[in-house]
Amino acid sequence: MRRVRVERPEEIAAAFAARLRRPLIRGDRRLFIIAADHPGRGALEVGGNAMAMADRHDLLQRLATALDRPGVDGVLGTPDIIEDLTLLGALEGKIAVGSMNRGGLRGASFEMDDRYTGYDVETIQRSGLDFAKLLLRINLADPGTASTLEQSARAVSAAARAGLPIMIEPFISEWIDGRVRNVLTPDAVITSIAIASALGSSSAYTWLKLPVVDDMERVVAATTLPTLLLGGDPEGKPEETYASWEKALGLPGVHGLVVGRTLLYPADDDVASVVDAAARLVHP
């Protein structure tokens, strides 16, 4: 792969063109996506290990293991990750989701001005990817949110014109002790849903990616848009996490899971087993 990047970079485009694609929705109308766009925002920490995701070979090995398991529908990543996996042949017959805004670097003074430094709609289409994704953190006390809202609305409009499904991951966020923290109360998530749903000139191709919080029945009732659940950072007992996912997956309009570090870096390092357990929740 390193040799291709040095000597024959044009093979990346050829690999995209030759990739076997599949319909976005089929069978049970559910999706299980592995998320791997965290490094692009400088977020490498997992479970207290500040550099857990720093080794690219190790990360790709974990992703390849996950993508090879039955019931895993695809992956979410920045261009470098998606290109590596395409060159490896790991995305044949899988859903490829392109991550768009990674400019709000973790811990930066400009974190709320989350600029679009990754994929754009044109490149996602040209590369034959299946889905777009954007992060929308809304901080009423930070003027950087205005720029993020405007650019996000443009991305949603462009995706709608192109007929490209686009996944919005919205949060109400606050500055606490110099760091951005997401507010995970039901009312905050519902408010973020209302703002995200109205972005752009059309919501016809908009999906939501939402955290699992208390009172999910009321949260999900706040939208008619198709919804995926995000796994978040690994914390608490795995059986409790899986139970909360399973309950939320049974709600109307919920169509699957998008989970990353929780499954890629489990405590026992057995990626295949934890991915299989999550896949059984999504595709019983």
Side-chain angles (χ1 to χ4, degrees), residues 115-192:
R115 304 199 176 194
Y116 282 69
T117 57
Y119 275 113
D120 54 35
V121 168
E122 180 184 357
T123 306
I124 288 173
Q125 280 199 302
R126 185 174 65 247
S127 300
L129 307 190
D130 309 286
F131 219 134
K133 178 260 181 179
L134 62 89
L135 174 64
L136 181 71
R137 291 173 297 174
I138 303 155
N139 188 333
L140 301 181
D142 193 307
T145 293
S147 174
T148 299
L149 283 168
E150 181 181 17
Q151 295 302 316
S152 297
R154 290 179 181 176
V156 171
S157 296
R161 287 193 298 270
L164 175 72
I166 185 165
M167 181 193 310
I168 304 178
E169 181 180 359
F171 292 101
I172 300 297
S173 303
E174 298 176 340
W175 283 107
I176 298 177
D177 296 329
R179 298 191 67 178
V180 174
R181 302 289 187 186
N182 297 325
V183 183
L184 298 179
T185 64
D187 285 0
V189 176
I190 289 169
T191 301
S192 75

Coordinates of all heavy atoms in Angstrom, one line a residue, residues 115-192:
R115 N -14.7 23.3 10.5 CA -14.6 23.6 9.0 C -14.6 22.2 8.3 O -14.2 21.2 8.8 CB -13.4 24.4 8.7 CG -13.4 25.7 9.5 CD -12.6 26.8 8.9 NE -12.7 28.0 9.6 CZ -12.3 29.2 9.2 NH1 -11.7 29.3 8.0 NH2 -12.5 30.3 9.9
Y116 N -14.9 22.4 7.0 CA -15.0 21.2 6.1 C -13.6 21.0 5.5 O -13.3 21.5 4.4 CB -16.1 21.4 5.1 CG -17.5 21.1 5.7 CD1 -17.9 22.0 6.7 CD2 -18.2 20.0 5.5 CE1 -19.1 21.8 7.3 CE2 -19.4 19.7 6.1 CZ -19.8 20.6 7.0 OH -21.0 20.3 7.7
T117 N -12.9 20.1 6.1 CA -11.5 19.8 5.7 C -11.3 18.4 5.1 O -10.2 18.0 4.7 CB -10.5 20.0 6.9 OG1 -11.0 19.1 7.9 CG2 -10.6 21.4 7.4
G118 N -12.4 17.6 5.1 CA -12.3 16.3 4.6 C -13.1 16.1 3.2 O -12.8 16.9 2.3
Y119 N -13.9 15.2 3.1 CA -14.7 15.0 1.9 C -15.6 16.1 1.6 O -16.1 16.8 2.5 CB -15.5 13.7 2.0 CG -14.8 12.4 1.6 CD1 -14.5 11.5 2.6 CD2 -14.4 12.2 0.3 CE1 -13.8 10.3 2.3 CE2 -13.7 11.0 0.0 CZ -13.4 10.1 1.0 OH -12.8 8.9 0.7
D120 N -15.9 16.3 0.3 CA -17.1 17.1 -0.2 C -18.0 16.3 -1.0 O -17.6 15.1 -1.4 CB -16.6 18.4 -0.9 CG -15.7 18.0 -2.1 OD1 -15.9 17.0 -2.8 OD2 -14.7 18.8 -2.4
V121 N -19.2 16.8 -1.3 CA -20.2 16.0 -2.0 C -19.7 15.6 -3.4 O -19.8 14.4 -3.8 CB -21.5 16.8 -2.1 CG1 -22.4 16.1 -3.1 CG2 -22.1 16.9 -0.7
E122 N -19.0 16.5 -4.1 CA -18.5 16.1 -5.4 C -17.5 14.9 -5.4 O -17.6 14.0 -6.2 CB -17.8 17.3 -6.0 CG -17.3 17.1 -7.4 CD -16.5 18.3 -8.0 OE1 -16.5 19.3 -7.3 OE2 -16.0 18.2 -9.1
T123 N -16.6 14.9 -4.4 CA -15.6 13.9 -4.3 C -16.3 12.6 -3.9 O -15.9 11.5 -4.4 CB -14.5 14.3 -3.4 OG1 -13.9 15.5 -3.8 CG2 -13.4 13.2 -3.4
I124 N -17.2 12.6 -3.0 CA -17.9 11.4 -2.5 C -18.6 10.8 -3.7 O -18.5 9.5 -3.9 CB -18.9 11.8 -1.4 CG1 -18.2 12.1 -0.1 CG2 -19.9 10.6 -1.2 CD1 -19.1 12.6 1.0
Q125 N -19.2 11.6 -4.5 CA -19.9 11.0 -5.7 C -18.9 10.5 -6.7 O -19.0 9.4 -7.2 CB -20.7 12.1 -6.4 CG -22.1 12.3 -5.8 CD -23.0 13.1 -6.7 OE1 -22.7 14.1 -7.2 NE2 -24.1 12.4 -7.0
R126 N -17.8 11.2 -7.0 CA -16.8 10.8 -8.0 C -16.1 9.5 -7.6 O -15.8 8.7 -8.4 CB -15.8 11.9 -8.2 CG -14.8 11.6 -9.3 CD -13.9 12.8 -9.6 NE -13.0 13.1 -8.5 CZ -13.1 14.2 -7.7 NH1 -14.0 15.1 -8.0 NH2 -12.3 14.4 -6.7
S127 N -15.9 9.3 -6.3 CA -15.3 8.2 -5.8 C -16.2 7.0 -5.6 O -15.7 5.9 -5.3 CB -14.6 8.5 -4.4 OG -13.7 9.5 -4.5
G128 N -17.5 7.2 -5.9 CA -18.4 6.1 -5.8 C -18.7 5.7 -4.3 O -19.1 4.5 -4.1
L129 N -18.6 6.6 -3.4 CA -19.0 6.3 -2.0 C -20.5 6.4 -1.9 O -21.2 6.9 -2.8 CB -18.3 7.3 -1.0 CG -16.8 7.4 -1.1 CD1 -16.3 8.2 0.1 CD2 -16.1 6.1 -1.2
D130 N -21.0 5.9 -0.8 CA -22.5 5.7 -0.7 C -23.2 6.7 0.3 O -24.5 6.8 0.2 CB -22.7 4.3 -0.1 CG -21.9 3.2 -0.9 OD1 -22.4 3.0 -2.0 OD2 -20.9 2.8 -0.4
F131 N -22.5 7.4 1.1 CA -23.1 8.2 2.2 C -22.1 9.3 2.5 O -20.9 9.1 2.5 CB -23.3 7.2 3.4 CG -24.6 7.4 4.1 CD1 -25.3 6.3 4.5 CD2 -25.0 8.6 4.5 CE1 -26.5 6.4 5.2 CE2 -26.2 8.7 5.3 CZ -26.9 7.6 5.6
A132 N -22.7 10.4 3.0 CA -21.9 11.5 3.5 C -22.2 11.6 5.0 O -23.3 11.3 5.5 CB -22.1 12.8 2.8
K133 N -21.3 12.2 5.8 CA -21.5 12.4 7.2 C -20.9 13.7 7.6 O -19.8 14.1 7.2 CB -20.9 11.3 8.0 CG -21.0 11.4 9.5 CD -19.8 11.9 10.2 CE -19.9 12.0 11.7 NZ -18.6 12.5 12.3
L134 N -21.6 14.5 8.5 CA -21.1 15.7 9.1 C -21.4 15.7 10.5 O -22.4 15.2 11.0 CB -21.6 16.9 8.3 CG -23.1 17.2 8.4 CD1 -23.5 18.1 9.6 CD2 -23.5 18.0 7.1
L135 N -20.5 16.4 11.3 CA -20.6 16.6 12.7 C -21.1 18.0 12.9 O -20.6 19.0 12.4 CB -19.3 16.4 13.4 CG -19.2 16.7 14.9 CD1 -20.1 15.8 15.7 CD2 -17.7 16.7 15.4
L136 N -22.2 18.2 13.8 CA -22.8 19.5 14.0 C -22.9 19.7 15.5 O -23.8 19.3 16.2 CB -24.2 19.6 13.4 CG -24.9 20.9 13.5 CD1 -24.2 22.0 12.7 CD2 -26.3 20.8 13.2
R137 N -21.8 20.4 16.1 CA -21.9 20.7 17.5 C -22.3 22.2 17.6 O -21.7 23.1 17.0 CB -20.5 20.5 18.1 CG -20.2 19.0 18.2 CD -18.8 18.8 18.7 NE -17.8 19.4 17.7 CZ -16.5 19.4 17.9 NH1 -16.0 19.0 19.1 NH2 -15.7 19.9 17.0
I138 N -23.4 22.4 18.4 CA -24.0 23.7 18.5 C -23.8 24.3 19.9 O -24.2 23.8 20.9 CB -25.5 23.6 18.2 CG1 -25.8 22.9 16.9 CG2 -26.2 24.9 18.4 CD1 -27.1 22.2 16.8
N139 N -23.0 25.4 19.9 CA -22.6 26.0 21.2 C -23.1 27.4 21.1 O -22.6 28.3 20.4 CB -21.1 26.0 21.4 CG -20.7 26.4 22.7 OD1 -21.3 27.2 23.4 ND2 -19.5 25.9 23.2
L140 N -24.2 27.7 21.9 CA -24.8 29.0 21.8 C -23.9 30.1 22.4 O -24.2 31.3 22.1 CB -26.1 29.0 22.6 CG -27.2 28.0 22.1 CD1 -28.4 28.1 22.9 CD2 -27.5 28.2 20.6
A141 N -22.8 29.8 23.1 CA -21.9 30.8 23.6 C -20.7 31.0 22.8 O -19.8 31.7 23.2 CB -21.5 30.4 25.1
D142 N -20.6 30.3 21.6 CA -19.4 30.4 20.8 C -19.8 30.8 19.4 O -20.5 30.1 18.7 CB -18.7 29.0 20.8 CG -17.3 29.1 20.2 OD1 -17.1 29.7 19.1 OD2 -16.3 28.7 20.9
P143 N -19.2 31.9 18.9 CA -19.6 32.4 17.5 C -19.1 31.5 16.4 O -19.6 31.6 15.3 CB -18.9 33.8 17.5 CG -17.8 33.8 18.5 CD -18.3 32.9 19.6
G144 N -18.2 30.6 16.7 CA -17.8 29.6 15.7 C -18.9 28.7 15.2 O -18.8 28.2 14.1
T145 N -19.9 28.6 16.0 CA -21.1 27.7 15.7 C -21.8 28.3 14.4 O -22.3 27.5 13.6 CB -22.0 27.6 16.8 OG1 -21.4 26.9 17.9 CG2 -23.3 26.9 16.4
A146 N -21.8 29.6 14.3 CA -22.5 30.2 13.1 C -21.9 29.7 11.8 O -22.6 29.4 10.9 CB -22.5 31.7 13.2
S147 N -20.6 29.8 11.7 CA -19.9 29.3 10.5 C -20.2 27.8 10.3 O -20.4 27.4 9.1 CB -18.4 29.6 10.7 OG -17.7 29.0 9.5
T148 N -20.1 27.0 11.3 CA -20.4 25.6 11.2 C -21.8 25.4 10.6 O -22.0 24.5 9.8 CB -20.1 24.9 12.5 OG1 -18.8 25.0 12.9 CG2 -20.4 23.4 12.3
L149 N -22.8 26.1 11.2 CA -24.1 25.9 10.8 C -24.3 26.3 9.3 O -24.9 25.6 8.5 CB -25.1 26.8 11.6 CG -25.4 26.3 13.0 CD1 -26.1 27.4 13.8 CD2 -26.3 25.1 12.9
E150 N -23.7 27.4 8.9 CA -23.8 27.8 7.5 C -23.2 26.8 6.5 O -23.8 26.4 5.5 CB -23.1 29.2 7.3 CG -23.2 29.7 5.9 CD -22.5 31.1 5.7 OE1 -21.7 31.4 6.6 OE2 -22.8 31.7 4.7
Q151 N -22.0 26.4 6.8 CA -21.3 25.4 5.9 C -22.0 24.1 5.9 O -22.1 23.4 4.9 CB -19.8 25.2 6.4 CG -19.0 26.5 6.2 CD -19.0 27.0 4.8 OE1 -18.8 26.2 3.9 NE2 -19.1 28.3 4.7
S152 N -22.6 23.7 7.1 CA -23.3 22.4 7.1 C -24.6 22.5 6.3 O -25.0 21.5 5.6 CB -23.7 22.1 8.6 OG -22.5 21.9 9.4
A153 N -25.3 23.6 6.3 CA -26.5 23.8 5.5 C -26.1 23.7 4.0 O -26.9 23.1 3.3 CB -27.1 25.1 5.8
R154 N -25.0 24.3 3.6 CA -24.6 24.1 2.2 C -24.3 22.7 1.9 O -24.6 22.2 0.8 CB -23.4 25.0 2.0 CG -23.6 26.5 2.1 CD -22.4 27.3 1.9 NE -22.6 28.8 1.9 CZ -21.7 29.7 1.9 NH1 -20.4 29.3 1.7 NH2 -22.0 31.0 1.9
A155 N -23.7 22.0 2.8 CA -23.4 20.6 2.5 C -24.6 19.7 2.4 O -24.8 18.9 1.5 CB -22.5 20.0 3.6
V156 N -25.6 20.0 3.2 CA -26.9 19.3 3.1 C -27.6 19.6 1.8 O -28.1 18.7 1.1 CB -27.8 19.6 4.3 CG1 -29.2 19.0 4.1 CG2 -27.2 19.1 5.6
S157 N -27.6 20.9 1.4 CA -28.2 21.3 0.2 C -27.5 20.6 -1.0 O -28.2 20.1 -2.0 CB -28.2 22.8 0.0 OG -28.9 23.4 1.0
A158 N -26.2 20.6 -1.0 CA -25.5 19.9 -2.1 C -25.7 18.4 -2.2 O -25.9 17.9 -3.3 CB -24.0 20.2 -1.9
A159 N -25.8 17.8 -1.0 CA -26.1 16.4 -1.0 C -27.5 16.1 -1.5 O -27.8 15.1 -2.3 CB -26.0 15.8 0.4
A160 N -28.5 16.9 -1.2 CA -29.9 16.8 -1.7 C -29.9 16.9 -3.2 O -30.6 16.2 -3.9 CB -30.8 17.8 -1.0
R161 N -29.2 17.9 -3.7 CA -29.2 18.1 -5.2 C -28.6 16.9 -5.9 O -29.0 16.5 -7.0 CB -28.4 19.4 -5.5 CG -29.1 20.7 -5.2 CD -28.4 21.9 -5.9 NE -27.1 22.0 -5.4 CZ -26.7 22.8 -4.4 NH1 -27.6 23.4 -3.7 NH2 -25.4 22.9 -4.0
A162 N -27.6 16.3 -5.2 CA -27.0 15.1 -5.8 C -27.7 13.8 -5.6 O -27.3 12.8 -6.1 CB -25.5 15.1 -5.3
G163 N -28.7 13.8 -4.7 CA -29.4 12.6 -4.4 C -28.5 11.7 -3.5 O -28.6 10.5 -3.6
L164 N -27.7 12.3 -2.7 CA -26.7 11.6 -1.8 C -27.2 11.6 -0.4 O -27.4 12.6 0.2 CB -25.3 12.2 -1.9 CG -24.2 11.6 -1.0 CD1 -23.8 10.3 -1.5 CD2 -23.0 12.6 -1.0
P165 N -27.4 10.4 0.2 CA -27.7 10.4 1.6 C -26.7 11.0 2.5 O -25.5 10.8 2.2 CB -27.9 8.9 1.9 CG -28.1 8.2 0.6 CD -27.4 9.1 -0.4
I166 N -27.1 11.9 3.4 CA -26.1 12.6 4.3 C -26.5 12.4 5.7 O -27.7 12.6 6.1 CB -26.0 14.1 3.9 CG1 -24.9 14.7 4.7 CG2 -27.3 14.8 4.0 CD1 -24.4 16.1 4.1
M167 N -25.6 12.1 6.6 CA -25.8 11.7 8.0 C -25.3 12.9 8.9 O -24.2 13.3 8.8 CB -25.1 10.5 8.3 CG -25.2 9.9 9.7 SD -23.9 8.6 10.0 CE -24.1 7.6 8.6
I168 N -26.2 13.5 9.6 CA -25.8 14.6 10.5 C -25.7 14.1 11.9 O -26.7 13.4 12.4 CB -26.9 15.8 10.5 CG1 -27.0 16.3 9.0 CG2 -26.4 16.9 11.4 CD1 -28.1 17.4 8.9
E169 N -24.6 14.4 12.6 CA -24.4 14.0 14.0 C -24.5 15.3 14.9 O -23.5 16.0 15.0 CB -23.1 13.3 14.2 CG -22.8 12.9 15.6 CD -21.4 12.2 15.7 OE1 -20.7 12.1 14.7 OE2 -21.0 11.8 16.8
P170 N -25.7 15.6 15.4 CA -25.8 16.9 16.1 C -25.7 16.8 17.6 O -26.0 15.8 18.2 CB -27.3 17.3 15.7 CG -28.0 16.0 15.7 CD -27.0 14.9 15.2
F171 N -25.1 17.8 18.2 CA -25.0 17.9 19.7 C -25.3 19.4 20.1 O -24.9 20.3 19.3 CB -23.6 17.5 20.2 CG -23.3 16.1 20.0 CD1 -22.5 15.7 19.0 CD2 -23.7 15.1 20.9 CE1 -22.1 14.4 18.8 CE2 -23.4 13.8 20.8 CZ -22.6 13.4 19.7
I172 N -25.8 19.6 21.2 CA -25.7 20.8 21.9 C -24.5 20.7 22.8 O -24.3 19.8 23.5 CB -26.9 21.1 22.8 CG1 -28.2 21.2 22.0 CG2 -26.7 22.4 23.6 CD1 -28.3 22.3 21.0
S173 N -23.5 21.7 22.6 CA -22.2 21.6 23.3 C -22.0 22.9 24.1 O -22.6 23.9 23.9 CB -21.1 21.5 22.2 OG -21.3 20.3 21.4
E174 N -21.1 22.7 25.1 CA -20.7 23.8 26.0 C -19.2 23.8 26.2 O -18.6 22.7 26.1 CB -21.4 23.6 27.4 CG -22.9 23.7 27.3 CD -23.5 23.4 28.7 OE1 -22.8 22.9 29.6 OE2 -24.7 23.8 28.9
W175 N -18.6 25.0 26.5 CA -17.3 25.0 27.0 C -17.3 24.8 28.5 O -17.9 25.5 29.2 CB -16.7 26.4 26.7 CG -16.3 26.6 25.3 CD1 -16.9 27.4 24.3 CD2 -15.1 26.1 24.6 NE1 -16.2 27.4 23.1 CE2 -15.1 26.6 23.3 CE3 -14.1 25.2 25.0 CZ2 -14.1 26.2 22.3 CZ3 -13.1 24.9 24.1 CH2 -13.1 25.4 22.8
I176 N -16.5 23.8 29.0 CA -16.4 23.6 30.4 C -14.9 23.4 30.7 O -14.3 22.4 30.2 CB -17.2 22.3 30.8 CG1 -18.7 22.5 30.6 CG2 -16.9 22.0 32.3 CD1 -19.6 21.3 30.9
D177 N -14.3 24.3 31.5 CA -12.9 24.2 31.9 C -12.0 24.1 30.6 O -11.0 23.4 30.6 CB -12.7 23.0 32.8 CG -13.4 23.1 34.1 OD1 -13.6 24.2 34.6 OD2 -13.8 22.0 34.7
G178 N -12.4 24.9 29.6 CA -11.5 25.0 28.4 C -11.7 23.9 27.4 O -11.0 23.8 26.5
R179 N -12.7 23.0 27.7 CA -12.9 21.9 26.7 C -14.3 21.9 26.3 O -15.3 22.3 27.1 CB -12.5 20.5 27.4 CG -11.1 20.4 27.8 CD -10.7 19.0 28.2 NE -10.7 18.1 27.0 CZ -10.4 16.8 27.1 NH1 -10.1 16.3 28.2 NH2 -10.5 16.1 26.0
V180 N -14.6 21.4 25.1 CA -16.0 21.3 24.6 C -16.6 20.0 25.1 O -16.0 18.9 24.9 CB -16.0 21.3 23.1 CG1 -17.4 21.0 22.5 CG2 -15.5 22.6 22.5
R181 N -17.7 20.1 25.7 CA -18.4 18.9 26.3 C -19.8 18.9 25.6 O -20.5 19.9 25.6 CB -18.6 19.0 27.8 CG -17.3 19.1 28.5 CD -16.5 17.8 28.5 NE -15.3 17.9 29.3 CZ -14.4 17.0 29.4 NH1 -14.5 15.9 28.6 NH2 -13.3 17.1 30.2
N182 N -20.3 17.8 25.2 CA -21.6 17.6 24.6 C -22.6 17.4 25.8 O -22.4 16.6 26.7 CB -21.6 16.4 23.7 CG -20.7 16.7 22.5 OD1 -20.6 17.8 22.0 ND2 -20.1 15.6 22.0
V183 N -23.8 18.1 25.7 CA -24.8 17.9 26.7 C -25.7 16.8 26.3 O -26.4 16.8 25.2 CB -25.6 19.2 26.8 CG1 -26.7 19.1 27.9 CG2 -24.7 20.4 27.0
L184 N -25.7 15.7 27.1 CA -26.4 14.5 26.7 C -27.7 14.3 27.5 O -28.0 13.2 27.9 CB -25.5 13.3 26.9 CG -24.2 13.4 26.0 CD1 -23.3 12.2 26.3 CD2 -24.6 13.4 24.5
T185 N -28.5 15.4 27.7 CA -29.8 15.3 28.3 C -30.8 15.1 27.2 O -30.6 15.5 26.0 CB -30.2 16.5 29.1 OG1 -30.2 17.6 28.2 CG2 -29.2 16.8 30.2
P186 N -32.0 14.5 27.4 CA -33.0 14.3 26.4 C -33.4 15.6 25.7 O -33.5 15.7 24.5 CB -34.1 13.7 27.1 CG -33.5 12.9 28.2 CD -32.4 13.7 28.7
D187 N -33.6 16.7 26.6 CA -34.0 18.0 26.0 C -32.9 18.6 25.1 O -33.2 19.1 24.1 CB -34.3 18.9 27.1 CG -35.6 18.7 27.8 OD1 -36.3 17.7 27.4 OD2 -36.0 19.4 28.8
A188 N -31.6 18.4 25.5 CA -30.6 18.9 24.6 C -30.5 18.2 23.3 O -30.3 18.8 22.2 CB -29.2 18.8 25.4
V189 N -30.6 16.9 23.3 CA -30.6 16.1 22.1 C -31.8 16.4 21.2 O -31.7 16.6 20.0 CB -30.6 14.6 22.4 CG1 -30.6 13.8 21.1 CG2 -29.3 14.2 23.2
I190 N -33.0 16.6 21.8 CA -34.2 17.0 21.0 C -34.0 18.3 20.4 O -34.3 18.5 19.2 CB -35.4 17.0 21.9 CG1 -35.8 15.5 22.3 CG2 -36.6 17.6 21.3 CD1 -36.8 15.4 23.4
T191 N -33.4 19.3 21.1 CA -33.1 20.6 20.5 C -32.1 20.5 19.4 O -32.3 21.1 18.3 CB -32.5 21.5 21.6 OG1 -33.5 21.6 22.7 CG2 -32.3 22.9 21.0
S192 N -31.1 19.7 19.5 CA -30.2 19.5 18.4 C -30.8 18.9 17.2 O -30.5 19.2 16.1 CB -29.0 18.7 18.9 OG -29.3 17.3 19.0

